[in-house]
Amino acid sequence: MSTTPKGPASYFPSIEAKYGRSIDEWKAVLRDSGSSAHKELVELLKTHGFGHGHANALVQHHLHPEKWAAA
């Protein structure tokens, strides 16, 4: 059985390395924003220097954790 992350979580190591904070910290930023709109949250992360792909992956995982729990 592979332990390699699938889906959005496959981006997490590079997100932590590139943006200098843990995934939990970035998810707190998303949670604290009070928004549940995908596009709005992606734009929020872009204000922190995220590229579109990294922002999209993190927001997707944040908004739909149940979809990625088994991945």
Side-chain angles (χ1 to χ4, degrees), residues 30-68:
L30 296 173
R31 198 173 37 254
D32 293 348
S33 76
S35 177
S36 62
H38 184 97
K39 184 177 180 180
E40 196 173 298
L41 292 172
V42 167
E43 293 303 318
L44 170 66
L45 290 176
K46 285 182 174 183
T47 68
H48 289 277
F50 272 65
H52 185 79
H54 282 162
N56 189 57
L58 189 55
V59 170
Q60 182 70 10
H61 198 276
H62 168 71
L63 291 177
H64 305 287
E66 71 288 349
K67 181 176 180 179
W68 305 106

Side-chain angles (χ1 to χ4, degrees), residues 17-30:
K18 185 167 185 171
Y19 306 108
R21 293 168 78 178
S22 72
I23 295 303
D24 288 339
E25 290 176 284
W26 287 118
K27 283 189 173 185
V29 169
L30 296 173

